[in-house]
Amino acid sequence: MKQPKVEFSRPLQVDRVPNLGSNDRLEADPKECVELAKRLGLPVLHALKGFLHSKPWRGGGLKITGTLTASFDQQSVVSLETFRTELKTEVERYFIPSRGKPDEEVNDDIDYIEDGMVDLGEIMTETLALELDPYPRKPGEVFQDIQEDVEAEKITPFAALSKLKPASSDEKK
């Protein structure tokens, strides 16, 4: 089976992580930022950096915590203008060893260690993807609905019918 392309890969061999854990500083280079921007649907990804602490967890598992910072451009859904966003978020992920084929219905939210490796770059990419606002707006930008003067003409389901109604005897005089 063909492996998917990973634009920002930083593999970590799980069995080499000491009991007290290991620290990793990660930063995407400019070429990786261009590829990640395409993958995430961003006009530009200026920077993606992170500090991750990996520690053994529950008999062969791995707990990864840390922070991620990113600087990127987004397009406003209101004005369609491009604006820059700075993001800082926490990372917390848990991995367990895969034991045969997992039951997909039961274990949707579990991350597995595959071939003894965990990709720290992909963890950062996935975290950034989850933090992106699906409907970004420039700071202070508000969508204003068009207000019509409804008082001038009361619109009801029966308004059209009232125009068809014959004039009363008072109105004929």
Side-chain angles (χ1 to χ4, degrees), residues 152-169:
E153 180 183 331
K154 288 221 173 199
I155 300 173
T156 67
F158 301 105
L161 292 175
S162 67
K163 292 177 184 176
L164 299 174
K165 180 178 162 185
S168 67
S169 61

Side-chain angles (χ1 to χ4, degrees), residues 2-65:
K2 185 178 177 184
Q3 291 292 329
K5 179 183 174 190
V6 179
E7 300 85 355
F8 178 48
S9 181
R10 302 295 188 273
L12 173 68
Q13 191 171 339
V14 175
D15 62 0
R16 299 209 57 192
V17 176
N19 287 338
L20 295 175
S22 68
N23 296 317
D24 293 283
R25 287 196 187 284
L26 308 167
E27 184 172 355
D29 66 34
K31 183 181 176 191
E32 291 168 329
C33 285
V34 169
E35 293 299 315
L36 285 170
K38 288 178 190 174
R39 176 177 170 185
L40 299 172
L42 298 171
V44 178
L45 176 62
H46 300 285
L48 175 61
K49 301 176 184 179
F51 176 80
L52 299 178
H53 177 74
S54 306
K55 187 173 182 178
W57 180 74
R58 292 195 177 180
L62 195 65
K63 177 182 178 181
I64 299 175
T65 57

